[in-house]
Amino acid sequence: MLDQIRGGLFGAAVGDALGATTECMNKEEIQEKYGKIKTIIGGGWLALDPGEVTDDTDMMIAVANGITQSPENPIPAIGEEFLKWHRRNPRGVGRTISHVLSQYQGDWFQTAFHVHCAQQGKSSGNGSLMRCLPVALAYSDQEMMEKITFLQSKMTHYADEAAEACLIYNRIAFRLLKGENLKTSLKEEIMNTCYSSVCFRKEPDCPPDGYVVHTLIWVLHWLWNCHTFEEVVIEAANRGGDSDTIASIAGGLKGLEAGFHRLPRRFTEILRVKQELELLSEKLCAVRQRI
Ligand SMILES: [Mg+2]
């Protein structure tokens, strides 16, 4: 169990660190500048050092910290972790999250609704999907897992599309932790949803951007079509667009399936947040055994 949990957290962080190099580029620009990115080299529009991660991993860590502090009622603690992170002035924060975190005055759900309205009813970014994995790692009770998954999305993203994407994703993660097969879990969880055609298409007909539906379509596409963890994160990174987030979300599930011991050391050893992720894996595993 611990190896799988560690695989999930590290898998997501590796995807983020690898994909950050190519974020906002298209696949032709990537090919021209890098050929094919296969290692974590940093750079990108955020000018990262190799092994540095972005908001995706930072917010995933915030969710994990909130859960380990207060597993029975984690939303207030998760919120405190978000605010703590935001006070450090992180770069590259998504629009919806940035607005919610700067306007928060005591009620997450109310703030998310105001921001949703101010954005003309648009709050379907991938910002709650990219951070939700720790919920599936921590809770072995499915009802509790689904409730927290839903609420952590609604804290910043009022749109149902965002919460639905988080639920589909975490239900797949939940099954993997019970030893189920990735492809079977994926196929069953997307049945009768807007994602069901992913398994039948050669390539998605939407851009790999930050709209949560597009993001999840690409994540599912890579998970369905690639065999190894390495292949998933490399392909997602080299496709560009919102590549750090897409590689991170896909890498989280593929890493969870593979387990930490199967992730390439050249990816995991270079991560700046390595020790934090090690510690959080153990803490989440301990929560899972209690709840
Ligand atoms: Mg990012």
Side-chain angles (χ1 to χ4, degrees), residues 172-244:
I172 299 172
F174 188 82
R175 282 168 175 255
L176 294 178
L177 281 160
K178 288 201 299 182
E180 291 184 43
N181 172 277
L182 175 59
K183 278 198 162 182
T184 312
S185 311
L186 190 155
K187 207 171 175 178
E188 288 180 7
E189 291 302 339
I190 64 174
M191 215 182 275
N192 303 321
T193 72
C194 66
Y195 303 98
S196 61
S197 65
V198 165
C199 308
F200 307 107
R201 275 181 204 276
K202 219 173 151 230
E203 193 170 285
D205 55 6
C206 60
D209 60 25
Y211 171 39
V212 71
V213 174
H214 292 173
T215 298
L216 188 54
I217 286 175
W218 279 94
V219 165
L220 296 167
H221 167 75
W222 298 125
L223 292 172
W224 185 256
N225 289 292
C226 300
H227 298 291
T228 63
F229 171 81
E230 211 169 344
E231 209 186 319
V232 165
V233 289
I234 289 176
E235 290 306 320
N238 283 280
R239 190 58 180 74
D242 201 359
S243 46
D244 59 330

Side-chain angles (χ1 to χ4, degrees), residues 22-247:
T22 55
E23 189 186 4
C24 306
M25 296 171 78
N26 65 38
K27 68 176 179 190
E28 290 76 22
E29 289 167 342
I30 295 167
Q31 211 164 17
E32 202 184 307
K33 185 161 181 192
Y34 300 105
K36 190 165 190 177
I37 295 267
K38 290 181 180 170
T39 45
I40 295 173
I41 56 169
W45 74 281
L46 291 168
L48 300 175
D49 288 333
E52 257 190 295
V53 292
T54 76
D55 57 338
D56 309 77
T57 306
D58 288 344
M59 291 202 88
M60 176 185 77
I61 289 175
V63 170
N65 272 322
I67 292 170
T68 59
Q69 284 160 31
S70 177
E72 311 283 347
N73 177 28
I75 298 302
I78 291 172
E80 280 307 311
E81 291 295 318
F82 286 172
L83 293 170
K84 216 159 64 178
W85 167 71
H86 197 236
R87 283 196 287 269
R88 299 202 304 259
N89 285 323
R91 294 169 300 162
V93 183
R95 184 180 61 155
T96 301
I97 287 178
S98 164
H99 285 157
V100 171
L101 292 183
S102 42
Q103 288 171 36
Y104 171 77
Q105 282 181 331
D107 186 330
W108 287 106
F109 307 104
Q110 190 85 37
T111 313
F113 178 64
H114 285 317
V115 168
H116 173 82
C117 297
Q119 294 179 166
Q120 281 81 43
K122 288 196 181 115
S123 58
S124 302
N126 55 21
S128 63
L129 177 61
M130 71 190 194
R131 66 183 186 221
C132 73
L133 182 61
V135 183
L137 304 180
Y139 297 97
S140 58
D141 177 88
Q142 184 156 3
E143 205 179 312
M144 181 80 166
M145 183 281 285
E146 293 191 358
K147 187 179 124 190
I148 307 297
T149 297
F150 179 85
L151 290 175
Q152 74 80 33
S153 184
K154 291 279 177 182
M155 287 174 77
T156 50
H157 292 65
Y158 181 79
D160 286 332
E161 278 175 323
E164 277 161 16
C166 294
L167 281 169
I168 291 173
Y169 182 79
N170 269 356
R171 283 181 190 134
I172 299 172
F174 188 82
R175 282 168 175 255
L176 294 178
L177 281 160
K178 288 201 299 182
E180 291 184 43
N181 172 277
L182 175 59
K183 278 198 162 182
T184 312
S185 311
L186 190 155
K187 207 171 175 178
E188 288 180 7
E189 291 302 339
I190 64 174
M191 215 182 275
N192 303 321
T193 72
C194 66
Y195 303 98
S196 61
S197 65
V198 165
C199 308
F200 307 107
R201 275 181 204 276
K202 219 173 151 230
E203 193 170 285
D205 55 6
C206 60
D209 60 25
Y211 171 39
V212 71
V213 174
H214 292 173
T215 298
L216 188 54
I217 286 175
W218 279 94
V219 165
L220 296 167
H221 167 75
W222 298 125
L223 292 172
W224 185 256
N225 289 292
C226 300
H227 298 291
T228 63
F229 171 81
E230 211 169 344
E231 209 186 319
V232 165
V233 289
I234 289 176
E235 290 306 320
N238 283 280
R239 190 58 180 74
D242 201 359
S243 46
D244 59 330
T245 305
I246 293 173

